[in-house]
Amino acid sequence: MQARSWHLVLGLSFGLILLPIGITGALLSTQVLVSAVSPLRQDLSALSLAAVLARMEKARMENHLTEVEALERSEDGTLIVSIREGYQLTRHYLSAASGELLGPVPSNSFYTAIERFHRSLLLAKPGRIIVALSALSLMLLTATGLRLTLRRQGGWRRLFSRPKEGGLSGLHTLMGQLALAPLFILSSTGLILALYRFELLPQSGPDRLIYPETPVELAPVPASSLAAFQDLPLSTLISLTFPIEGDWFDVYSVKTKQNYVFFDQFTGAALSEHPLNNGQRFMALMLTMHTGRGMVVYALLLGLMAMAVPAFFVTGLLLWCRRTSQSRAFAQDDDDGTADTVILVGSQSQSTWSFAQALQRSMLSLGHRVLLTDLDAIAPYPNAKLLFVLTSTFGAGQAPDNAQRSLQRIEQLPRSVAWHFAVLGFGDSQYDHFCRFADRVAEQLGTIAPILLPTMKIDRQHLPSFAHWGALLGQRLNQTVSLEAVTPNVKELSFTVLQQTVYRFEEHLAVDLLISSTAADKAGDKAGDFSPGDLLAVRVPGNEDRRERLYSIAANPHKGQFQLCIKLDRLGLCSPFLTALPVGAIFQARLQSNPRFHCPASETPLVLIAAGTGVAPFIAMIQANRSRRPIELFFGCRHPDHDFLYGPELRQSLISGQLTALHTAFSRQQGEYVQDRLAEQTGRLVQHIRQGSIFMVCGGLAMAQAVAQQMDKLLTQQAECGMDMTLAQLKQQQRYLEEVY
């Protein structure tokens, strides 16, 4: 493909995306100028860290401030202090001269919103991928534009001479001449930053900093008195994290432009140091070149050139429209509708499909023309005589992933159809809503079509029951229907147990496993295809029961590593197997996508509610919250000292801002449960409902029911105050999501 063709295809494909990216980039460039003239900007060049700490300590005593957790210095010359008030973390600007607070840092300022849009189009990970591809396209557009300009101008010597053409074409060329270098800088640095964010470039720092512990407990001393901070210039500081009050093991954590250093909280002795490597310095340079932070003139120049991007799109589009008069035609696929037998499948995983394929094979062998497709694709099928629905039930009687719209589509079918139908439900009779969705489908189909067979339910994929249903079908059709379902042929990965952490309280036990996919499997299927909320499907080897058990993945994978949190059920099959695995053991499993419980892509605030091991998927979501979207977690367990799962990680997330607030309930210590915490926070929950927040619940069925009852009670009470919202409406709007087991 020639340069002109590449330029045209890239411009038309990514122009509309680059348009808002360019505008938001230009707006962000003005932030450097605004910061430069802000009254909050301070001259920090002559101050030491100890001097500011001393003023902070004095102001804290005078104003009775609560626990200070961190101090940060920004490139624009402002100081920000993080203060803990209960479970709430607030950030304030700090005066270096007096140690007084100058006001809260806006949690959702204009520039924060613009930056989120610029980085992800407010679409979370999919948006970041689109933005990364757009950066690549801008770099290729710059290269192909350079090639076209060189050809038009007559070589490198005349590259910056006056454009030979006038009018719109000449304006397009002139803008390219002026913006060539800045656009290449913006696109290449943007692409590098995106590749680094997605871990497609070598990571520039250690996988995990090793936090030392204070060796000996001594009398507490003010931070300002530590010798290590006396000689530390404030101008080199990036952040200081204070030790947790009352925890003598904890240390001061200092990040500077050169290194990470951890200091003894009593003596100020340096316990360990992690110098920044060349990769980290390179990434810092890329960020500075892309944003222009700390350099007003350069940032404004980048902003001006960023505005050239939408100008390029408009002039390029006008040139293309002028040069072509042909319209594009789009073909639509047609359905020939020749099938006389239709098999519709509703499945949360792969298992129900194997039963449907067995039915398909049998009907084909009897001479039928068979259509096998998703339940969501249900249509009138005017030539069909038989319609079979094989569906599982998800959660508390809900539709599986590929049947979300099926009931609505059935309502839209003609009131009389030519086919007879039969529904076969799949589920687990241990649950209250056993095959409830299959019943709902059968009930709705019964209003428009005659029944071929009564609805039958298959408990835990019982093969003899499936064969019996086939025999009943054969009797009804006066044909021999032989059904033999096979286990789906899915690729399993090998996982090695790297670390085991046991949480034990009385007779209850939970185990956290750090596991890694083996090198042999990494060469094939990638274990890195993961989104928070996805599952790991495990079969117990050597057991007649070959059904999979699904476990939420409790942490974002890093270099093929995952975390699982398993509650031991001594009468179960898979949990005793997994909790008994020693370090070094290898087992087989596969990743199961679970899109219904993925973290919503927008930046809408989240309210997460969990008990026990139900917190697992939320840990992954919180760790992935690099954009610092508001996330509030309600978490219940038995005792804070014994089974507070991921307690250190949650506390660190509060400090980093990845978690906004944490509300805990300890049933054996306080006699309270997670629904009790919800009742205490009625005001906050009402505010979340009004602002469109999304609620996600994960845990046991009893807990989920108790939470639903509390939410329903809250909404009923608020209805008397004018709030027109029910729990059913929240679910219908996909604002109340449940993962129940």
Side-chain angles (χ1 to χ4, degrees):
M1 189 182 292
Q2 297 181 346
R4 179 182 293 276
S5 299
W6 274 111
H7 200 71
L8 176 63
V9 170
L10 289 169
L12 293 176
S13 302
F14 289 91
L16 282 175
I17 302 173
L18 289 169
L19 185 69
I21 292 177
I23 294 173
T24 52
L27 290 173
L28 287 172
S29 69
T30 64
Q31 186 179 14
V32 179
L33 177 61
V34 171
S35 299
V37 299
S38 170
L40 297 171
R41 180 183 174 91
Q42 305 170 76
D43 183 9
L44 308 176
S45 59
L47 294 173
S48 68
L49 176 58
V52 174
L53 290 175
R55 295 163 188 171
M56 279 179 57
E57 291 161 359
K58 180 181 178 182
R60 181 183 176 189
M61 292 180 63
E62 293 175 351
N63 298 319
H64 305 289
L65 294 180
T66 54
E67 181 179 357
V68 176
E69 290 200 358
L71 175 68
E72 305 167 45
R73 183 194 61 84
S74 63
E75 288 290 335
D76 58 16
T78 59
L79 289 177
I80 298 175
V81 62
S82 298
I83 297 176
R84 170 71 56 192
E85 297 175 349
Y87 287 110
Q88 190 70 36
L89 184 70
T90 58
R91 302 172 77 236
H92 301 264
Y93 292 110
L94 181 76
S95 169
S98 65
E100 299 284 348
L101 301 183
L102 300 177
V105 178
S107 60
N108 192 19
S109 67
F110 169 78
Y111 284 113
T112 301
I114 294 297
E115 183 178 4
R116 288 177 177 173
F117 187 95
H118 185 75
R119 290 183 174 182
S120 66
L121 306 177
L122 302 182
L123 298 175
K125 184 176 180 180
R128 291 193 291 271
I129 294 174
I130 294 172
V131 170
L133 292 175
S134 300
L136 176 61
S137 73
L138 180 59
M139 189 164 61
L140 294 175
L141 279 166
T142 305
T144 54
L146 173 62
R147 177 74 179 272
L148 293 172
T149 303
L150 287 171
R151 185 184 304 168
R152 182 171 296 149
Q153 294 294 98
W156 286 98
R157 292 185 178 181
R158 299 181 180 177
L159 175 62
F160 295 103
S161 61
R162 183 176 179 179
K164 293 184 177 181
E165 299 180 0
L168 197 60
S169 180
L171 176 61
H172 196 77
T173 302
L174 177 61
M175 289 191 302
Q177 292 171 319
L178 296 175
L180 176 64
L183 286 183
F184 182 77
I185 291 173
L186 285 171
S187 59
S188 59
T189 54
L191 180 61
I192 290 171
L193 291 170
L195 293 176
Y196 179 79
R197 187 181 186 90
F198 286 111
E199 301 183 348
L200 297 177
L201 289 179
Q203 297 300 289
S204 56
D207 293 345
R208 182 177 297 176
L209 291 176
I210 300 175
Y211 283 74
E213 293 182 346
T214 300
V216 180
E217 182 179 11
L218 302 174
V221 296
S224 59
S225 67
L226 298 179
F229 298 159
Q230 301 288 337
D231 301 323
L232 182 61
L234 193 61
S235 58
T236 66
L237 180 75
I238 295 177
S239 66
L240 165 66
T241 301
F242 292 78
I244 299 173
E245 288 191 356
D247 184 357
W248 70 268
F249 289 98
D250 209 356
V251 297
Y252 288 99
S253 172
V254 174
K255 181 181 179 182
T256 71
K257 295 180 179 180
Q258 294 80 31
N259 55 17
Y260 294 87
V261 188
F262 299 95
F263 295 98
D264 187 308
Q265 65 169 296
F266 302 110
T267 66
L271 300 176
S272 66
E273 180 177 356
H274 303 268
L276 300 184
N277 56 36
N278 293 332
Q280 289 172 300
R281 293 189 178 95
F282 174 75
M283 293 310 302
L285 175 62
M286 291 297 99
L287 183 61
T288 300
M289 292 180 64
H290 189 75
T291 62
R293 60 182 183 180
M295 299 179 289
V296 177
V297 176
Y298 176 73
L300 293 179
L301 175 62
L302 289 181
L304 182 63
M305 293 301 101
M307 279 304 298
V309 173
F312 274 123
F313 174 70
V314 173
T315 56
L317 182 62
L318 292 174
L319 286 171
W320 175 74
C321 292
R322 192 173 69 181
R323 290 170 181 168
T324 181
S325 60
Q326 299 178 349
S327 61
R328 298 179 179 270
F330 297 91
Q332 294 182 349
D333 294 330
D334 293 325
D335 184 1
D336 58 14
T338 60
D340 60 48
T341 301
V342 177
I343 303 173
L344 302 175
V345 182
S347 180
Q348 186 68 23
S349 60
Q350 301 295 322
S351 56
T352 308
W353 281 99
S354 66
F355 291 88
Q357 290 165 351
L359 177 60
Q360 179 191 36
R361 289 192 297 269
S362 182
M363 299 304 289
L364 287 172
S365 69
L366 296 174
H368 293 272
R369 297 184 302 277
V370 181
L371 170 66
L372 175 64
T373 188
D374 291 328
L375 181 51
D376 262 346
I378 190 169
Y381 305 119
N383 295 322
K385 303 300 181 185
L386 302 172
L387 182 136
F388 299 102
V389 175
L390 282 69
T391 182
S392 62
T393 295
F394 178 77
Q398 300 166 326
D401 285 337
N402 65 338
Q404 293 290 300
R405 301 185 304 274
S406 57
L407 295 178
Q408 181 181 357
R409 291 178 67 93
I410 293 173
E411 288 181 354
Q412 297 169 353
L413 293 178
R415 291 298 90 189
S416 179
V417 292
W419 32 264
H420 290 60
F421 77 92
V423 176
L424 186 61
F426 292 82
D428 189 333
S429 61
Q430 298 180 80
Y431 291 94
D432 294 338
H433 300 278
F434 176 49
C435 292
R436 176 67 185 119
F437 180 69
D439 289 334
R440 294 170 63 192
V441 172
E443 180 181 348
Q444 201 153 332
L445 285 175
T447 63
I448 63 171
I451 299 175
L452 180 67
L453 284 175
T455 300
M456 184 171 173
K457 302 174 182 179
I458 305 297
D459 185 18
R460 288 174 283 186
Q461 303 176 19
H462 190 241
L463 295 180
S465 297
F466 182 57
H468 176 65
W469 181 81
L472 295 176
L473 176 61
Q475 293 175 11
R476 185 71 174 82
L477 299 178
N478 292 320
Q479 294 177 305
T480 301
V481 179
S482 178
L483 299 180
E484 293 184 4
V486 296
T487 302
N489 184 22
V490 295
K491 173 66 176 178
E492 290 185 327
L493 304 176
S494 295
F495 288 88
T496 302
V497 178
L498 302 181
Q499 181 179 314
Q500 183 191 73
T501 304
V502 177
Y503 298 88
R504 188 187 304 273
F505 183 69
E506 297 177 349
E507 74 279 9
H508 304 283
L509 183 140
V511 174
D512 177 69
L513 293 180
L514 178 64
I515 61 176
S516 172
S517 59
T518 62
D521 288 317
K522 289 180 185 177
D525 291 348
K526 293 183 179 179
D529 282 342
F530 166 84
S531 294
D534 283 346
L535 308 167
L536 197 71
V538 184
R539 287 191 180 94
V540 178
N543 195 286
E544 294 181 359
D545 187 345
R546 295 292 294 158
R547 290 171 296 160
E548 295 174 326
R549 270 61 172 180
L550 301 176
Y551 294 91
S552 295
I553 298 172
N556 274 321
H558 178 69
K559 296 183 179 179
Q561 294 184 3
F562 299 82
Q563 276 184 274
L564 295 180
C565 194
I566 306 105
K567 176 185 176 182
L568 174 62
D569 178 1
R570 290 179 172 80
L571 300 179
L573 178 65
C574 200
S575 65
F577 164 71
L578 288 174
T579 54
L581 289 175
V583 173
I586 298 175
F587 66 98
Q588 301 294 311
R590 68 178 181 87
L591 289 174
Q592 170 67 52
S593 178
N594 188 24
R596 282 197 51 179
F597 208 67
H598 282 175
C599 190
S602 68
E603 294 298 311
T604 304
L606 297 179
V607 179
L608 309 179
I609 305 168
T613 56
V615 76
F618 297 152
I619 296 297
M621 294 178 191
I622 293 168
Q623 289 180 347
N625 183 29
R626 297 180 181 177
S627 64
R628 304 303 191 267
R629 75 190 292 178
I631 297 181
E632 199 158 337
L633 175 62
F634 290 81
F635 177 51
C637 59
R638 292 181 177 84
H639 197 283
D641 297 332
H642 300 287
D643 62 349
F644 189 178
L645 306 178
Y646 305 106
E649 289 87 344
L650 290 173
R651 284 188 285 267
Q652 183 60 39
S653 297
L654 284 169
I655 295 172
S656 68
Q658 290 170 291
L659 181 62
T660 309
L662 172 64
H663 310 275
T664 55
F666 304 110
S667 60
R668 296 300 176 86
Q669 184 190 61
Q670 303 164 333
E672 295 178 321
Y673 298 87
V674 68
Q675 59 267 26
D676 298 315
R677 288 291 170 266
L678 294 173
E680 292 175 358
Q681 299 293 329
T682 297
R684 296 175 68 93
L685 296 178
V686 170
Q687 183 180 0
H688 277 295
I689 294 169
R690 292 188 185 278
Q691 70 182 17
S693 300
I694 296 173
F695 292 77
M696 303 181 73
V697 182
C698 186
L701 183 60
M703 181 278 298
Q705 290 174 338
V707 168
Q709 290 172 0
Q710 180 59 43
M711 289 293 295
D712 191 56
K713 178 181 178 182
L714 182 152
L715 291 167
T716 301
Q717 293 172 346
Q718 292 303 310
E720 300 173 359
C721 303
M723 178 184 285
D724 185 19
M725 181 64 69
T726 65
L727 187 59
Q729 288 174 319
L730 282 176
K731 292 181 178 180
Q732 187 177 13
Q733 296 172 9
Q734 298 297 303
R735 290 178 54 199
Y736 191 89
L737 309 177
E738 294 176 292
E739 179 83 350
V740 181
Y741 49 84

